[in-house]
Amino acid sequence: MPTAVGVCLLSFAAFWAAQRAAHVSMIDLLVYRAEGATVRAGGDLYALRTTHARLPTTYPPFAALLFTPLTLLDTAGLRLLGTAGNLALLVLFVRLSLRLVGEERPQSVWWVSAAAVWCEPVWTTLRYGQVNLALAALVLWDLTRRGADRWAGVGIGLATAVKLTPALFAVFLLAAGITARSRGGRGAGARYLRHARGAVAVFAGATALAAVLLPGDSRRFWTRAVFQTGRVGHTEDTANQALRGVLARLLHDPDPGAGWIALAALTAVCGLAVAVRAELAGRRAWAVTACAVTALLVSPVSWSHHWVWCVPVALLLWTRGRRRAAGAAALVCCSYALWWVPHGQGRPELRQNGVELTLSALYGVAGCLFLVLARRAGRPVTPSRTSRTA
């Protein structure tokens, strides 16, 4: 155990030094502080343009309420807190991921954290000062929690109130409950339905609180800003690893339109079906990771740093004996290959060739392949099949 802790701390120190050498801006963390300052000043959140990149507010108003304490720190203190906080969250996220896959040895947390900090989604999360690890940890805590039902849904509900993508986990729980009830009668599936109701209630409560404290901003977000997906950046950006981004680059068209909508709808249905099937077969780890990957694929924008879910995915594959698949997943997320292609000013992503298209679609393709694998692994256990359950 001491060796594992020491190696992890050494890895974190090297990571911190590398980030400083790279002069990372933590630009998203600066945007979060600007949002908090706008709330305190009574300004218009969704008219905000801040930092040298003129970035807008994209999260629901409840998130801006949570960001108000950041205004108490100067830039140096903010970056220090952002880095240290995200490293601590990484350890927590790894611990919850290991609990999800049934690995309880304490030293494993430190060994995995020492390696995971170098994968591209985690590196980029810390580079920008993003909230991905916090939201993923909230969801995993909710779905691996051991205790009273009164806390069921709190993590998912809070994560969804900050950023809408985790809402798919509530849909997953609802679908699992309805499916279980249809198969086993009125009492079956009750715990899934309670869990889904808890998530909806917490989300509604947080959103209502924001509406009371920030009525104008809440109205602007829920009636206008939430539908303006272009606010977050160009669809075809190589960092956008959602199906929409992959399709935009493939078609050399920044607006893939109806084609993306049909593909996303089909993926959502299939992905949720895989997750529900695995859950009702007693394979929670496959169900949770399948739902997470589905959410990343069907979201209009899933920046590469949103794919921190690669950590539990790789751990699941490894602990279930899928060593080659686990190695492939780790290679994809540690290669930084999506940044090898032309990107940036001039929108070169719209002119990619075949090799560049392949490299800039790695996360999306890997996500689709994982769902195929999860479908096979999520089959109900029969007397002739004795593979390990999750």
Side-chain angles (χ1 to χ4, degrees), residues 39-367:
V39 168
R40 293 187 61 181
D44 183 347
L45 267 177
Y46 299 99
L48 176 68
R49 294 291 185 276
T50 188
T51 74
H52 67 277
R54 305 292 294 166
L55 295 176
T57 302
T58 58
Y59 294 173
F62 179 72
L65 290 176
L66 299 183
F67 296 150
T68 53
L70 300 179
T71 60
L72 302 177
L73 298 172
D74 60 15
T75 300
L78 188 67
R79 288 174 173 162
L80 177 65
L81 177 65
T83 303
N86 262 325
L87 289 174
L89 282 168
L90 174 62
V91 174
L92 174 61
F93 181 54
V94 168
R95 180 184 178 188
L96 293 171
S97 298
L98 288 166
R99 179 190 294 178
L100 177 71
V101 303
E103 171 56 69
E104 298 288 351
R105 290 177 295 178
Q107 64 267 29
S108 297
V109 175
W110 301 103
W111 287 117
V112 174
S113 297
V117 73
W118 296 98
C119 74
E120 191 273 339
V122 174
W123 168 278
T124 313
T125 289
L126 273 86
R127 173 188 175 186
Y128 294 138
Q130 263 283 341
V131 295
N132 307 301
L133 290 168
L135 300 183
L138 274 172
V139 171
L140 270 189
W141 170 81
D142 203 342
L143 292 170
T144 62
R145 187 182 45 82
R146 300 161 182 168
D149 281 347
R150 65 178 178 273
W151 294 103
V154 170
I156 294 172
L158 285 175
T160 305
V162 173
K163 195 170 186 175
L164 299 180
T165 309
L168 195 68
F169 288 96
V171 177
F172 151 68
L173 291 167
L174 177 63
I178 292 173
T179 304
R181 176 171 289 187
S182 68
R183 293 178 180 177
R186 185 173 180 81
R191 65 188 180 96
Y192 296 119
L193 296 175
R194 283 196 301 270
H195 204 154
R197 285 197 299 268
V200 171
V202 171
F203 166 73
T207 302
L209 175 65
V212 170
L213 297 177
L214 303 171
D217 289 321
S218 295
R219 183 177 62 255
R220 283 185 284 273
F221 178 79
W222 293 108
T223 62
R224 187 174 69 244
V226 69
F227 304 108
Q228 298 171 340
T229 57
R231 290 172 59 86
V232 299
H234 296 308
T235 301
E236 75 279 1
D237 281 353
T238 191
N240 183 11
Q241 292 294 300
L243 291 175
R244 187 168 181 247
V246 172
L247 197 59
R249 292 188 291 273
L250 180 63
L251 299 177
H252 306 296
D253 185 348
D255 183 13
W260 164 71
I261 294 173
L263 182 60
L266 178 62
T267 303
V269 171
C270 293
L272 283 173
V274 168
V276 169
R277 184 185 190 188
E279 177 65 27
L280 298 184
R283 301 176 185 267
R284 169 58 64 92
W286 288 102
V288 171
T289 49
C291 185
V293 169
T294 301
L296 290 167
L297 289 172
V298 304
S299 174
V301 174
S302 290
W303 301 128
S304 67
H305 52 76
H306 295 165
W307 288 75
V308 293
W309 285 95
C310 67
V311 174
V313 165
L315 289 172
L316 174 62
L317 294 170
W318 183 266
T319 57
R320 298 308 185 266
R322 313 268 183 166
R323 301 299 171 84
R324 291 183 180 179
L331 179 61
V332 165
C333 289
C334 293
S335 67
Y336 295 69
L338 72 160
W339 298 110
W340 301 354
V341 305
H343 60 277
Q345 294 183 351
R347 305 176 75 172
E349 293 94 336
L350 292 175
R351 300 182 296 275
Q352 289 181 350
N353 60 35
V355 173
E356 293 165 348
L357 285 170
T358 300
L359 292 175
S360 66
L362 281 179
Y363 290 8
V365 171

